[in-house]
Amino acid sequence: MREAPQSPEDQKRALLEAQDGFIAAFGQMGSAWGISRTMAEVQALLYITGEPLCTDDIMERLRISRGNASMSLRALLDWGVISRAHKRGDRKEYFQADQDVWDMFRAILRERMKREVDPLLASLHEIRDKTNSDLPGKGKRSRDDDPELRQKVDEHNTRLDSMLRFFETVEALSQKFVSPAGRGLKIAATLLTSPLLTGGGRER
Amino acid sequence: MREAPQSPEDQKRALLEAQDGFIAAFGQMGSAWGISRTMAEVQALLYITGEPLCTDDIMERLRISRGNASMSLRALLDWGVISRAHKRGDRKEYFQADQDVWDMFRAILRERMKREVDPLLASLHEIRDKTNSDLPGKGKRSRDDDPELRQKVDEHNTRLDSMLRFFETVEALSQKFVSPAGRGLKIAATLLTSPLLTGGGRER
DNA sequence: AAGTGATTTCAATCATTTCTGAAATTGTCG
DNA sequence: CGACAATTTCAGAAATGATTGAAATCACTT
């Protein structure tokens, strides 16, 4: 409902502002999920911009130092959510984001599973094994056994096991979700219309 | 394969150590996912212990201050992953964790969606609306229009839209996943055996 | 309504993470 | 090989987030 005619300059400014809004929102969210704000912002900038940018472009647009830009870009490359590009006759490196949102998130998911779920699982396994050899199961019992303690140990093991099973399921699921390109969307679509979800349940 | 006979004291110590290992691993993971380490540890302690504990129990076991314990417990209550309990003839409040891992994670998921995805979605909508009124779509074009800019704006809108669609899907999925109790596991099981996942694909 | 113990709050402090900027390194070209 | 631009590294500075502890508040009881 705006009446004021807009010059190309105004339009351009408005576009940049809108992009900044997106970048800020995305950075915000990233930091809540344990990704550094800057890293998320760089990703957002490359994504919303759609074209390859060089380190200086990013430094200028995001007002960050060269060091920070370099390290964030490196991390994003490691995560596999952006890639290098080159312009002929230009010595600088350019970077661009994967344009498919699902691919991007699958890459992030894959990386985080590897980094955070796998170690937890390993540590859970270790604890379980140690507990079992130190405190053998119902099978044999030493004459010193105290029934109350025995029960606590059993319960501990039960809970540890259900936690293990949970994370192993999550892990397996994420592997499935993550492997072949383009799958994420299909899975989501299927899930959203699946009778398991829409049917049966007595959800109000 | 241990030979040394164990006194009940040894067994008890071993149990506590194993629990501490679990608590540490869980706290570690929590902090990587943007939940404060202490909050995650309190949750882990209540979970692995299985019985109601009071503030002092938690302070002592986790070596944290009263203030910290109080605030962490409050936050966990807000998230709906632990609940209050009372012992008759005791003025203190006790707390216990939900014993179903899936329920627990569904509660966490619900809370995080509410806190972090919803605001991002809102902000994305706002940006889209603002951009559209400032820079109207292909339909009408002012005489000042510059085709190159126009194209950039269109691309910006396209990317914003796919991001929006992505998060709306995620949101919808999480709602489905989160609503009726006990669903999570069933969904996971279905997904893991679904032909969509195991069949078709040419995953090496 | 005063006393008592439990609980919450919050300013100050402490710890951790992130960022900067200058120096070191890498890679390219003549 | 030098010269030079681009990039990386990293020690310390700055920012952010978590924790403490003591005082205030709350909720019973007598």
Side-chain angles (χ1 to χ4, degrees), chain B residues 20-63:
Chain B
D20 285 348
F22 172 75
I23 292 167
F26 198 80
Q28 198 69 29
M29 158 119 183
S31 69
W33 288 80
I35 293 164
S36 101
R37 192 175 45 71
T38 302
M39 198 170 145
E41 286 187 350
V42 172
Q43 168 69 33
L45 172 60
L46 291 174
Y47 175 81
I48 200 66
T49 263
E51 58 198 65
L53 300 179
C54 72
T55 308
D56 295 83
D57 296 335
I58 293 165
M59 285 168 60
E60 191 189 336
R61 184 79 187 270
L62 258 33
R63 310 289 197 82

Side-chain angles (χ1 to χ4, degrees), chain A residues 109-126:
Chain A
L109 182 61
R110 185 190 328 114
E111 187 67 19
R112 303 213 63 171
M113 284 290 154
K114 199 172 69 197
R115 288 187 180 219
E116 283 117 23
V117 176
D118 290 3
L120 180 81
L121 261 180
S123 143
L124 250 39
H125 273 122
E126 191 191 319

